[in-house]
Amino acid sequence: AQKVTQAQTEISVVEKEDVTLDCVYETRDTTYYLFWYKQPPSGELVFLIRRNSFDEQNEISGRYSWNFQKSTSSFNFTITASQVVDSAVYFCALSASNNAGNMLTFGGGTRLMVKP
Amino acid sequence: DAMVIQNPRYQVTQFGKPVTLSCSQTLNHNVMYWYQQKSSQAPKLLFHYYDKDFNNEADTPDNFQSRRPNTSFCFLDIRSPGLGDAAMYLCATSSGSKILGEQFFGPGTRLTVL
């Protein structure tokens, strides 16, 4: 069985602060993929990043960075110098490689509110 | 731009009156999914099509049906909507490749049941 836990249900920061969203996962598969999606108030889920289980290299994309640590089964997401437009619900998700159809197991989501 | 399109964006129906939500894609992906998302919850998978093969999640109510007449289109039929079916319905697609994996989501249809 697979499970994704996002312990932070809601985070509130002031603009320009850095913020880290936590994600912890459980799976028995040795090959799997981890994802982050952003869901703004408009409702659409926007794909942010995919990481496979063999690639523990951290990634930075502009103000976004991701820290993948297999030893702690975590895939945390940091936004540097947050902006009001970052306000959204963020979902971490897991897909095992033996899934036909790339089934996603979602975490419960973290609502990020960035105040001006 | 290649994308996943859902119509309508907002749908209002009456208790017990059948309703159909539609999804189309220009990505030529062979897998299409329907999710139900209630307020402050994660999306819940209802079913998916891998090409023409229909896969129902075990806990999806019989009230929910789906059709995929061709690669590009997929429909969600709710035969007798109840108040508890009010939610955002998200359509997604993926290539089915075990290497790629990510799902691409449409903007969703918000269903209100009166």
Side-chain angles (χ1 to χ4, degrees):
Chain A
Q2 299 176 108
K3 186 178 179 181
V4 177
T5 302
Q6 295 178 252
Q8 307 146 307
T9 55
E10 202 167 289
I11 300 175
S12 181
V13 299
V14 177
E15 207 169 18
K16 297 185 182 176
E17 286 185 8
D18 298 348
V19 59
T20 295
L21 310 181
D22 297 333
C23 173
V24 175
Y25 63 92
E26 296 176 28
T27 181
R28 294 177 183 163
D29 293 292
T30 55
T31 302
Y32 51 89
Y33 299 86
L34 295 163
F35 304 83
W36 276 95
Y37 284 87
K38 173 182 179 180
Q39 188 174 39
S42 59
E44 181 176 357
L45 276 161
V46 178
F47 166 76
L48 295 178
I49 190 172
R50 176 188 72 248
R51 175 66 77 228
N52 75 54
S53 52
F54 296 107
D55 181 4
E56 288 195 70
Q57 186 174 5
N58 291 330
E59 180 158 338
I60 298 175
S61 175
R63 296 184 297 106
Y64 295 171
S65 62
W66 290 269
N67 185 323
F68 175 33
Q69 292 195 341
K70 271 178 102 168
S71 60
T72 55
S73 296
S74 65
F75 186 44
N76 297 336
F77 172 30
T78 298
I79 301 174
T80 304
S82 59
Q83 300 176 1
V84 173
V85 293
D86 295 327
S87 297
V89 180
Y90 291 85
F91 289 98
C92 181
L94 168 71
S95 175
S97 66
N98 60 356
N99 271 341
N102 314 116
M103 296 302 105
L104 289 175
T105 299
F106 284 94
T110 297
R111 181 178 298 277
L112 174 64
M113 292 176 290
V114 181
K115 298 178 181 177
Chain B
D1 286 341
M3 58 177 58
V4 182
I5 302 162
Q6 289 188 247
N7 285 307
R9 294 292 309 276
Y10 300 91
Q11 176 73 57
V12 179
T13 190
Q14 292 181 336
F15 183 94
K17 184 175 181 181
V19 64
T20 295
L21 310 182
S22 71
C23 176
S24 63
Q25 54 132 338
T26 60
L27 297 160
N28 203 33
H29 283 166
N30 58 337
V31 190
M32 294 187 78
Y33 312 77
W34 278 105
Y35 289 87
Q36 179 192 65
Q37 186 180 24
K38 296 190 176 180
S39 181
S40 302
Q41 296 182 19
K44 177 181 181 297
L45 183 66
L46 295 173
F47 25 59
H48 76 279
Y49 276 93
Y50 199 116
D51 294 321
K52 293 183 179 180
D53 294 333
F54 177 70
N55 298 272
N56 202 31
E57 293 299 298
D59 56 354
T60 298
D62 292 340
N63 198 25
F64 292 86
Q65 303 287 321
S66 186
R67 296 171 283 136
R68 189 178 186 187
N70 54 52
T71 300
S72 301
F73 285 86
C74 195
F75 300 98
L76 169 62
D77 300 310
I78 308 177
R79 292 192 295 190
S80 182
L83 298 178
D85 296 328
M88 174 76 89
Y89 290 88
L90 295 165
C91 174
T93 73
S94 71
S95 68
S97 164
K98 293 179 180 178
I99 297 175
L100 295 177
E102 64 261 36
Q103 295 184 17
F104 295 85
F105 286 82
T109 295
R110 188 170 297 281
L111 177 68
T112 300
V113 182
L114 300 177

